[in-house]
Amino acid sequence: MPTLAELQERLLAFRAAGQNLQLEPLVTQKALSKFGVEYQTDLVDELEQAIEDCTYQDNKLIFTGHRGCGKSTLLAELSFRLLGTGRYFVVMFSIADTIERSAVDHVNILFSMAVQLLEAAERRDVKLKPGIKKELYRWLGKHTKTESETAEAAIEINAEAGAKGGIPGILEFLAKIKSILKVNSVIRNEITTEFARKISDLIAQINSIQTYIENATRQTVLIIIDDLDKLDLSVTETIFAKNIQPLLDPTFRILYTIPVATLREVSLKRGLEGSVKKIHTMRVGKFFSKTTVRKPDRIPDAEMMSIFAQVLQRRLPAQFVDPAIQAQMILKSGGVLRELIRIADSCCDRCMQQLRKQIRLEQFDQPAIVIDQAILESVLTDLQISYAGPLGQLDFETLVGIYHDFKPKDTENQRFLDLLHGLYVLEYRNGVQWYDLNPIVKDLLVQEGALDDG
């Protein structure tokens, strides 16, 4: 039986595992090296080829997939691969870090590109001519009502001194601009109002920044805008259905992420397909085929199970999980990586609660705490309750229909799109496209008596 010191040590180990199980994507080389696994590398190859083969007239990419399926991590891997060639000036940023999600529109997406390009140029010590550089920062300051004289002075001083690396005064100025765009709705609205009437002026300025950077670096500019797929569907539909052309007009390569639910709108999908060569899709991990998923003796795909097991094992020591439980945790994720991480993280929280109780009550005669059936069931019950909150009777009927038919009655029905966007329903592909319920949602319907337990 464990001693007090051993219980405290185990608590610290579970806490470290919990920190490893945070839901943030792997967007740094350190995180990728520590936690990354080989997953859908063929899609990285596909995107790399699409970027390499871009033409001046066709250089925009659309990338989609369920929230939490690993898109941000995959895009970070793509970014580092392209940077490693020395031929690309890659700027990848999350729109959520720049603009309040409910306020994102086509104008502030474009304006954010200008800010991100200039910040990347500064951090990478791109040698822009001082006169050009001051003009660009003066332009930023004017449209965000931010005093730029200090930044302009810093440019002049450092140009004379031949300083290298990011200039603190300029980086502080850019940080202030980003903060304003994030929190100041008045300034955002003024930018949108001004440039909505003369969007060509904004695009021309962005193209100028691109040209300056490419001339200075001899590299090709590529911008990857992440987390557009996490916006509300109404926001993304407004951007990509009504205002797609301005996002296509910059002359450089841009990769946009969009929600998979957006592509179920036939007219919107057709519009996007007419604007880009191909819509690239990251699939949800598929443990079963459509023909076997309802069979009681079904056997999950061994390769996919192994990949998801590696994801867990890189974050959570194997001795902390009952061997019989790991497969259940993986299957309950439905093939969505973030769902697996969320389940495992919640299980770690429960284990830490039990360990703290043992320490507090000096219960040294108890077996070692691991993630077992009881802990997993407790976590899954809480997740079911969380999913159940927004559902009404019509939603239950829709979900039951999808379970039986592998598709909705109407793929453009707004409530279905909301359920798809919220991961209640998952989209799979194996030769054909089909839909199934998130396993936790399926368990919820069984619990409610809407489905048989089978």
Side-chain angles (χ1 to χ4, degrees):
M1 294 302 172
T3 64
L4 175 60
E6 288 170 339
L7 287 176
Q8 291 172 332
E9 182 180 351
R10 197 169 188 83
L11 177 62
L12 291 175
F14 266 110
R15 182 183 299 161
Q19 292 170 348
N20 292 340
L21 289 162
Q22 296 307 298
L23 294 176
E24 296 300 314
L26 310 179
V27 295
T28 66
Q29 289 179 311
K30 181 179 179 181
L32 280 168
S33 176
K34 186 175 182 180
F35 300 121
V37 301
E38 291 284 315
Y39 184 54
Q40 300 202 31
T41 53
D42 57 332
L43 184 53
V44 182
D45 297 339
E46 177 185 311
L47 290 169
E48 180 183 21
Q49 177 170 302
I51 291 165
E52 291 274 21
D53 295 344
C54 279
T55 64
Y56 181 82
Q57 297 81 12
D58 182 14
N59 58 6
K60 306 300 182 289
L61 287 80
I62 299 292
F63 184 48
T64 189
H66 274 294
R67 291 189 300 170
C69 69
K71 295 189 300 302
S72 297
T73 296
L74 185 140
L75 289 175
E77 185 177 345
L78 171 69
S79 172
F80 292 128
R81 182 188 292 188
L82 292 171
L83 283 168
T85 69
R87 292 184 287 107
Y88 288 93
F89 188 90
V90 184
V91 178
M92 176 175 167
F93 69 95
S94 165
I95 197 67
D97 293 338
T98 311
I99 307 292
E100 181 185 332
R101 291 186 181 185
S102 62
V104 174
D105 59 37
H106 66 291
V107 172
N108 53 45
I109 289 173
L110 291 167
F111 198 88
S112 295
M113 290 185 203
V115 176
Q116 295 289 337
L117 279 170
L118 288 172
E119 182 181 41
E122 186 60 36
R123 291 190 182 280
R124 300 177 202 178
D125 198 26
V126 174
K127 298 300 184 184
L128 300 180
K129 293 180 179 179
I132 291 172
K133 201 168 182 179
K134 285 196 289 186
E135 180 182 330
L136 292 172
Y137 284 106
R138 195 177 297 130
W139 176 82
L140 274 184
K142 171 187 173 183
H143 292 291
T144 56
K145 291 182 170 52
T146 307
E147 186 273 316
S148 63
E149 291 181 0
T150 302
E152 292 176 45
I155 292 170
E156 194 69 38
I157 293 169
N158 283 272
E160 294 174 359
K164 295 184 178 181
I167 302 171
I170 296 177
L171 293 176
E172 289 172 9
F173 171 75
L174 290 168
K176 187 182 295 184
I177 296 286
K178 291 169 71 176
S179 176
I180 288 170
L181 290 176
K182 178 81 171 177
V183 303
N184 193 321
S185 60
V186 174
I187 297 295
R188 281 200 310 266
N189 290 338
E190 289 179 358
I191 291 171
T192 294
T193 300
E194 178 182 359
F195 285 115
R197 295 193 302 266
K198 47 182 182 178
I199 196 72
S200 59
D201 289 357
L202 176 56
I203 293 169
Q205 187 70 298
I206 300 169
N207 289 339
S208 296
I209 296 170
Q210 168 226 347
T211 300
Y212 295 142
I213 290 174
E214 290 189 343
N215 288 341
T217 63
R218 303 301 177 191
Q219 295 174 325
T220 299
V221 167
L222 165 67
I223 288 187
I224 299 173
I225 306 180
D226 196 17
D227 289 337
L228 287 167
D229 59 307
K230 295 180 176 66
L231 305 177
D232 289 343
L233 288 179
S234 60
V235 175
T236 55
E237 288 168 6
T238 298
I239 293 169
F240 289 101
K242 300 178 181 178
N243 297 290
I244 181 63
Q245 191 56 49
L247 299 179
L248 301 174
D249 284 344
T251 54
F252 49 91
R253 291 164 169 83
I254 306 172
L255 186 154
Y256 296 105
T257 54
I258 65 171
V260 70
T262 300
L263 297 177
R264 303 290 76 80
E265 295 268 10
V266 174
S267 60
L268 198 158
K269 182 181 180 183
R270 291 290 175 262
L272 289 174
E273 288 175 334
S275 303
V276 298
K277 186 175 181 180
K278 178 182 178 180
I279 296 174
H280 303 270
T281 302
M282 186 169 191
R283 304 176 303 278
V284 170
K286 182 167 59 66
F287 301 121
F288 306 100
S289 68
K290 181 181 176 182
T291 56
T292 63
V293 68
R294 300 286 183 259
K295 294 181 179 180
D297 58 347
R298 61 184 186 171
I299 299 175
D301 181 271
E303 182 179 359
M304 192 60 66
M305 291 292 290
S306 175
I307 291 170
F308 274 62
Q310 291 175 50
V311 171
L312 270 186
Q313 290 160 8
R314 286 211 163 199
R315 294 164 170 80
L316 182 64
Q319 65 268 26
F320 288 179
V321 185
D322 185 324
I325 299 304
Q326 178 175 279
Q328 292 184 49
M329 295 170 68
I330 293 171
L331 293 175
K332 291 300 181 184
S333 75
V336 179
L337 287 167
R338 183 171 293 188
E339 288 290 273
L340 174 63
I341 298 298
R342 180 160 71 142
I343 291 168
D345 183 39
S346 297
C347 287
C348 283
D349 284 345
R350 295 297 169 87
C351 289
M352 286 191 285
Q353 290 171 17
Q354 291 193 11
L355 281 164
R356 286 191 171 93
K357 181 179 179 181
Q358 284 189 359
I359 292 170
R360 186 177 69 255
L361 300 179
E362 299 183 353
Q363 295 175 334
F364 305 128
D365 58 345
Q366 303 294 316
I369 289 177
V370 297
I371 299 174
D372 57 17
Q373 190 69 48
I375 285 176
L376 178 59
E377 288 181 0
S378 175
V379 166
L380 294 176
T381 297
D382 279 357
L383 291 175
Q384 285 178 32
I385 293 170
S386 174
Y387 273 111
L391 297 180
Q393 185 58 39
L394 289 178
D395 296 318
F396 277 89
E397 293 172 5
T398 298
L399 292 167
V400 169
I402 293 170
Y403 178 81
H404 289 304
D405 300 335
F406 297 105
K407 59 183 179 182
K409 291 182 179 180
D410 178 7
T411 56
E412 294 192 72
N413 176 273
Q414 188 58 52
R415 193 54 179 164
F416 163 70
L417 296 177
D418 291 338
L419 293 170
L420 186 65
H421 192 55
L423 301 181
Y424 289 79
V425 178
L426 302 177
E427 180 183 295
Y428 297 97
R429 297 185 182 195
N430 54 297
V432 295
Q433 180 176 289
W434 55 285
Y435 300 90
D436 203 357
L437 306 186
N438 182 315
I440 298 171
V441 174
K442 186 256 185 181
D443 291 344
L444 169 64
L445 266 60
V446 171
Q447 184 72 23
E448 294 286 336
L451 282 178
D452 294 331
D453 188 6

